[in-house]
């Protein structure tokens, strides 16, 4: 592995480790944050979801900035914003509206890093992009195990404010990740180069017209993030609604987390063995996702629910990695950055809106089973959008 590949791989892995670890860790400080802000669980949870959603929502803005500014500058500023947001949360976010602001700042910082690093790793690895991205993501999932434990230790030892401040200090390790970003050949550091800037701007505007199959990838991303967010949010709740204690129902969440890891491992295997367009495999996963999500509404057997949690986690985790690889097959290299930006934007919309939508579905009859029936319908829509992607096997030439 040459220096360019190593830098892009390391920077993306560490920044994604911090992002996934923070997203998983916020639940540790949820109760304390509710008390410190004088708000309720719903609003504080929504502010935490806003952090994750903004990490994807700012994709088009980051893409636009990458046409005019150095990738390293964007990445390092983004890394500073992440830590600054958590430090402000620790010391000045005593109201829920302040909490929303600082989480949006941190989320936007993460978004600046993640898009730049994803495009960077694609530029560095070329045809091996899928395998490199999947391996990076598998390693990053360790953050979902380590960081909640670390934050809980800080919380018990130092209290809420100090623990949140230490989390901010830890996330400032993303600043070196930003500085380690590779400069893309199509990046423009010299603003006098108007012809190249105009070309990149035109590419961003015409990406959907030039590559209409991208619409299906974006819809897959939207549906997948709706499923991921709502499924993760209500796993424990549906276990409790079926008569199990919270201490028992939490194993559904653990099984789902194990499935998320296995899905990333599966994506590595699929990319390595070049099964990205293996239609029997992909169709089996699409149909299987619909069926296993429906299991939550059809049975009270805890073993079946555990198995369904693991399989669902595996499939949705695989989809989240596969769709990013698939984008590289349906758009040319010139449009890849813009395509990823719009895909991230839609993912952010799905992530932020899913809690509201699933909450409304639940409130109709007060049933968590209805939520999972709704998610299985979303999985059907996702599967329908996947069919054109399954059939796309050729990488388009540059426009």
């Amino acid at each position: 592995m040459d220096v360019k590949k190593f830098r892009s791989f390391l920077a993306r892995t560490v920044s994604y480790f911090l992002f996934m670890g923070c997203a998983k860790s916020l639940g540790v400080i949820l109760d304390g944050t509710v008390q410190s802000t004088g708000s309720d669980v719903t609003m504080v949870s929504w502010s935490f979801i806003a952090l994750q959603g903004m990490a994807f929502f700012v994709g088009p803005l980051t893409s636009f900035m990458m046409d005019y500014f150095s990738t390293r500058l964007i990445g390092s500023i983004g890394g500073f914003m992440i830590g600054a947001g958590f430090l402000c949360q620790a010391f000045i976010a005593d109201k829920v509206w302040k909490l929303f602001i600082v989480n949006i700042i941190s989320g936007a910082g993460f978004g600046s890093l993640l898009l730049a690093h994803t495009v960077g790793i694609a530029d560095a690895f070329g045809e091996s992009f899928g395998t490199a991205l999947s391996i990076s993501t598998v390693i990053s999932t360790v953050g979902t195990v380590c960081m909640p434990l670390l934050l809980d230790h800080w919380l018990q030892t130092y209290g809420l404010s100090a623990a949140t401040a230490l989390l901010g200090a830890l996330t400032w390790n993303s600043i070196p990740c930003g500085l380690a970003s590779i400069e893309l050949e199509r990046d423009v550091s010299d603003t006098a180069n108007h012809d190249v800037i105009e070309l990149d701007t035109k590419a961003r505007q015409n990406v959907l017209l030039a590559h209409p199959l991208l619409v299906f990838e974006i819809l897959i991303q939207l549906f997948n993030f709706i499923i991921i967010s709502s499924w993760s949010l209500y796993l424990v709740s549906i276990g409790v609604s079926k008569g199990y204690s919270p201490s028992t129902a939490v194993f559904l969440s653990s099984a789902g987390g194990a499935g998320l890891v296995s899905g990333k491992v599966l994506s590595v295997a699929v990319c390595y063995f070049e099964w990205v367009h293996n239609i029997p495999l992909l169709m089996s996963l699409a149909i299987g996702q619909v069926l296993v999500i429906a299991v939550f509404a059809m049975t009270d057997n805890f073993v079946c629910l555990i198995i369904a949690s693991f399989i669902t986690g595996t499939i949705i985790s695989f989809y989240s990695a596969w769709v990013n690889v698939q984008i590289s097959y349906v758009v040319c290299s010139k449009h890849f950055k813009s395509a990823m930006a719009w895909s991230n934007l839609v993912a952010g919309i799905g992530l932020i809106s899913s809690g509201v939508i699933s909450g409304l579905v639940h409130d109709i009859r007060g049933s968590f089973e209805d939520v999972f029936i709704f998610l299985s319908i979303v999985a059907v829509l996702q599967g329908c959008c996947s069919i054109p992607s399954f059939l796309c096997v050729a990488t388009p030439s540059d426009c």
Side-chain angles (χ1 to χ4, degrees), residues 255-271:
L260 293 176
V261 176
S262 73
K264 300 304 182 186
V265 175
L266 176 61
S267 67
V268 173
V270 166
C271 293

Side-chain angles (χ1 to χ4, degrees), residues 17 20-22 24-25 28 138-152 254 257-258 261:
F17 172 96
M20 296 184 70
C22 286
K24 191 71 172 178
S25 299
V28 174
V138 169
I139 297 173
S140 300
T141 55
V142 177
T144 64
V145 178
C146 298
M147 289 185 62
L149 297 174
L150 181 61
L151 184 58
D152 182 66
S254 299
V261 176

Side-chain angles (χ1 to χ4, degrees), residues 266 269-279 281-282 322:
L266 176 61
V270 166
C271 293
Y272 181 79
F273 293 108
E274 299 182 352
W275 295 341
V276 176
H277 299 103
N278 186 307
I279 294 179
L281 172 64
L282 296 173
W322 175 82

Side-chain angles (χ1 to χ4, degrees), residues 60-261:
L61 176 60
T62 303
S63 175
F64 176 80
M65 293 174 63
M66 288 172 67
D67 292 339
Y68 293 88
F69 301 102
S70 162
T71 305
R72 295 175 187 171
L73 176 63
I74 294 172
S76 57
I77 292 176
F80 176 81
M81 290 170 62
I82 297 168
F86 281 115
L87 287 174
C88 290
Q89 179 178 331
F91 298 116
I92 67 173
D94 55 351
K95 301 293 182 181
V96 71
W97 65 268
K98 295 180 181 179
L99 188 65
F100 267 98
I101 292 174
V102 298
N103 280 329
I104 287 172
I105 291 173
S106 293
F110 273 122
S112 301
L113 278 173
L114 297 181
L115 178 62
H117 289 156
T118 300
V119 175
I121 206 170
D123 185 74
F125 282 86
E127 294 182 357
S128 301
F129 163 67
T131 302
L133 183 71
S134 299
I135 294 175
S136 171
T137 305
V138 169
I139 297 173
S140 300
T141 55
V142 177
T144 64
V145 178
C146 298
M147 289 185 62
L149 297 174
L150 181 61
L151 184 58
D152 182 66
H153 170 71
W154 287 339
L155 181 63
Q156 300 301 325
T157 305
Y158 305 112
L160 177 64
S161 294
T164 308
L166 287 170
L167 180 63
L170 177 63
T171 57
W172 262 338
N173 284 289
S174 53
I175 296 177
C177 293
L179 294 173
S181 301
I182 62 172
E183 295 296 346
L184 307 179
E185 293 180 0
R186 55 185 176 277
D187 281 351
V188 181
S189 299
D190 182 5
T191 54
N193 195 342
H194 297 293
D195 292 337
V196 178
I197 292 177
E198 183 179 355
L199 180 63
D200 279 357
T201 303
K202 185 178 180 180
R204 182 173 53 252
Q205 294 171 341
N206 296 337
V207 58
L208 292 177
L209 295 177
H211 306 287
L213 274 176
L214 178 63
V215 172
F216 294 102
E217 312 307 326
I218 289 176
L219 289 174
I220 292 170
Q221 190 82 301
L222 172 66
F223 294 139
N224 195 53
F225 270 80
I226 290 175
I227 294 172
I228 288 175
S229 181
S230 298
W231 170 81
S232 301
L233 186 63
Y234 292 113
L235 265 182
V236 176
S237 298
I238 195 167
V240 173
S241 72
K242 291 179 179 294
Y244 299 100
S245 66
S247 59
T248 301
V250 74
F251 285 103
L252 296 177
S253 181
S254 299
L260 293 176
V261 176

